[in-house]
Amino acid sequence: MKMRHFCLLLLSIALSACTSYSPRFIALNPQVPSINVQTAQHDEISIDTFDIRSSPYVVRFIDNGQVTRQVTTGEPLVEQMDTVLRKSLEKAGYQLTSNTFPTVTFNIEKLQTNVDEGIFGFTANTEIIINAIVKKQRNMVSNGTTQTETNTLNKRFRIKAMLKKPLTPDFATLELEINQQLAKLTQEIMTDSEFNQFIQG
């Protein structure tokens, strides 16, 4: 009898440990989306990517309007997105070089998923904002002197999405949702007519 009680006690401790375990990081793996070639001229451009978010947390769990838990990424977001954006530009037909105009700067302004847990399921609201800044330079000759003219395109790209699922939220579901939204936003940037025309014009 004592042995049975001891086994039940161990099982209870193990179950409580499993239920209290919660990952400290979310493992994102953003992918290069499907992109048609946007330029046949193989325009040369240089690229920089910066993470200027006000908070490093990607997922916030909310209960009754209060943030109960926040989770960040296991790997630096800026490195992952820089790789995706570079490969996407190459897929769009651009040739990446260093210190060349036009320059394209991507600023990650926001990447946040708010998870509200309910009785019968959860809702995850995701918002991503990436600001694209394109700068071009050309030399102008006026009255025998050469002046450098700089033109800038500053365009903000935003995506919002809501996911509703039964039961409790699991990280695999949240990771998939965020990665899908990152791919959609990346595709929107790469196929944006104003963005591409400014680079090529």
Side-chain angles (χ1 to χ4, degrees):
M1 185 64 70
K2 289 182 178 179
M3 188 64 180
R4 182 183 176 190
H5 287 168
F6 179 71
C7 290
L8 288 174
L9 177 62
L10 284 178
L11 180 61
S12 176
I13 293 172
L15 288 174
S16 64
C18 290
T19 55
S20 63
Y21 169 74
S22 53
R24 293 164 43 194
F25 303 103
I26 190 163
L28 296 185
N29 185 28
Q31 300 295 308
V32 178
S34 175
I35 301 168
N36 293 327
V37 174
Q38 303 295 313
T39 173
Q41 303 174 15
H42 300 288
D43 301 79
E44 291 187 354
I45 58 174
S46 60
I47 171 179
D48 286 302
T49 307
F50 299 99
D51 184 357
I52 61 171
R53 294 174 297 154
S54 58
S55 171
Y57 298 107
V58 173
V59 179
R60 302 192 309 170
F61 292 88
I62 300 173
D63 185 20
N64 292 325
Q66 299 294 320
V67 177
T68 58
R69 183 174 161 224
Q70 300 186 97
V71 181
T72 186
T73 55
E75 297 181 24
L77 175 66
V78 67
E79 293 180 8
Q80 291 182 304
M81 284 307 299
D82 183 70
T83 299
V84 169
L85 292 166
R86 286 177 181 275
K87 289 181 178 179
S88 297
L89 283 169
E90 289 176 336
K91 201 170 181 180
Y94 295 103
Q95 184 175 344
L96 303 189
T97 60
S98 300
N99 303 318
T100 301
F101 282 93
T103 65
V104 183
T105 301
F106 294 107
N107 290 324
I108 305 170
E109 295 186 356
K110 188 172 186 178
L111 172 52
Q112 192 167 90
T113 297
N114 292 329
V115 180
D116 290 290
E117 297 185 71
I119 298 175
F120 302 107
F122 71 92
T123 302
N125 290 287
T126 298
E127 182 177 12
I128 308 171
I129 302 175
I130 296 178
N131 189 32
I133 303 171
V134 185
K135 288 187 178 181
K136 299 195 313 184
Q137 282 188 352
R138 64 174 180 171
N139 294 325
M140 306 275 295
V141 178
S142 177
N143 298 324
T145 61
T146 302
Q147 295 180 331
T148 300
E149 180 185 71
T150 302
N151 293 319
T152 303
L153 171 70
N154 192 325
K155 190 163 186 177
R156 182 170 283 105
F157 295 86
R158 173 188 279 112
I159 193 168
K160 287 185 176 182
M162 183 177 68
L163 175 71
K164 284 189 175 183
K165 288 281 187 178
L167 306 177
T168 58
D170 63 276
F171 272 36
T173 300
L174 296 176
E175 289 164 1
L176 178 61
E177 171 66 7
I178 296 171
N179 286 329
Q180 287 178 340
Q181 299 310 322
L182 282 170
K184 287 180 182 179
L185 188 59
T186 301
Q187 185 182 53
E188 181 183 333
I189 296 170
M190 297 301 152
T191 57
D192 182 78
S193 58
E194 185 180 13
F195 174 78
N196 285 289
Q197 288 171 12
F198 188 84
I199 292 176
Q200 299 166 30

